[in-house]
Amino acid sequence: MPYAEVNDTRLHIRQAGTGPVALFIHGFPLDSTMWIEQLAYLSDIRRCIAPDLRGFGRSAPVTGAPLTMEQHAEDCAAVLDLVSAEKADIIGLSMGGYAAMAFADMFPDRVRSLALIDTRAGADSDEAKAGRDAMAVRVIDEGRSAIAVAMESGLLGPDASISARARVRSMVEGCLYETIVGALGGMRDRADRSEVLRRVTVPAAVVVGEMDEVTPPEEAAAMADALPDASLTVIPGSGHLSPIESPAAVNEALRSLIDRTEATPDAVQG
Ligand code: MLT
């Protein structure tokens, strides 16, 4: 099932492993390849499914309408339907975390566990909203390469490897400008989901790079406090893209979340 028709669009879906489903939701303006280390590492205990969200990666292009977190959550639910998974471990990075929180809000019974990586629960401030609009104008005026270099240094910690830098730049450069603009609108308009976290009673993990300047460790600590059953892992030296920068540490945090989840009665159903 590398491609599937889902909610009036065509998604590319990366898969590895067998077992209960774990769903990986990528960040902006990235794609499912950001998870390759996690898919390889967890494939012995989970059927890992990582869609390219609508408009991203190898999924079908979109026009410039806002790509809302609710739409991504609906698409993720439809992907779970396709593989007949009632529940999944939901893992999201940054924008993928916003979508994961929308999913937990809209489909609470389908969340077996929740991992929120380098993300935040709150909505954009007015300043952040203005920044989104400015970035959209810049992409339209100057093209993707104008933001690729800026994003590479803004997203990664100072010690990120050359290959991490190359991976990030190639994902940003490969993201269509319509998708970038639509995603900026969707993130700008997203809801504050801080209260949603208080209702997530399944095991949860919050992971953040120590050097994450986009969604800093204080935001992660606030999410871990709000979640009734969450661990907090701060990854030394990592920036905003810890699954790429520090894959082993993220893998370990995810495995320990899954181990904790397995200890929960009926958690592996579906
Ligand atoms: C991301 O990594 O998904 C974005 O940086 C999130 C954001 O801009 O809020």
Side-chain angles (χ1 to χ4, degrees), residues 27-28 94-95 98 132 155 187 214 240:
F28 163 84
S94 199
M95 181 189 75
Y98 311 154
R132 304 274 189 210
L155 296 179
M187 290 192 289
V214 182
H240 181 61

Side-chain angles (χ1 to χ4, degrees), residues 26-30 93-98 118-120 124 132 135 151 155 184 187 190 214-215 240-241:
H26 63 76
F28 163 84
L30 310 176
L93 173 117
S94 199
M95 181 189 75
Y98 311 154
D118 299 309
T119 189
R120 65 157 56 84
D124 273 9
R132 304 274 189 210
M135 190 190 237
M151 289 201 83
L155 296 179
L184 286 166
M187 290 192 289
R190 77 185 189 282
V214 182
T215 50
H240 181 61
L241 298 181

Side-chain angles (χ1 to χ4, degrees), residues 72-197:
H72 292 317
E74 295 273 7
D75 292 347
C76 288
V79 169
L80 295 187
D81 291 344
L82 280 176
V83 296
S84 304
E86 184 49 40
K87 288 182 184 236
D89 302 288
I90 306 292
I91 299 145
L93 173 117
S94 199
M95 181 189 75
Y98 311 154
M101 287 179 258
F103 185 95
D105 193 5
M106 297 160 67
F107 307 103
D109 297 340
R110 304 194 75 172
V111 183
R112 183 187 304 113
S113 70
L114 181 66
L116 298 174
I117 306 176
D118 299 309
T119 189
R120 65 157 56 84
D124 273 9
S125 63
D126 288 345
E127 189 188 350
K129 286 180 202 274
R132 304 274 189 210
D133 292 340
M135 190 190 237
V137 169
R138 187 158 184 219
V139 170
I140 292 166
D141 284 353
E142 299 173 43
R144 296 174 276 186
S145 53
I147 62 162
V149 174
M151 289 201 83
E152 179 202 312
S153 55
L155 296 179
L156 294 167
D159 299 331
S161 66
I162 289 171
S163 74
R165 290 184 183 286
R167 274 176 75 187
V168 171
R169 195 167 340 133
S170 89
M171 279 188 269
V172 180
E173 285 172 344
C175 190
L176 296 172
Y177 96 85
E178 293 93 333
T179 300
I180 295 176
V181 172
L184 286 166
M187 290 192 289
R188 177 197 59 207
D189 299 339
R190 77 185 189 282
D192 182 340
R193 288 205 155 85
S194 309
E195 288 308 311
V196 173
L197 297 187

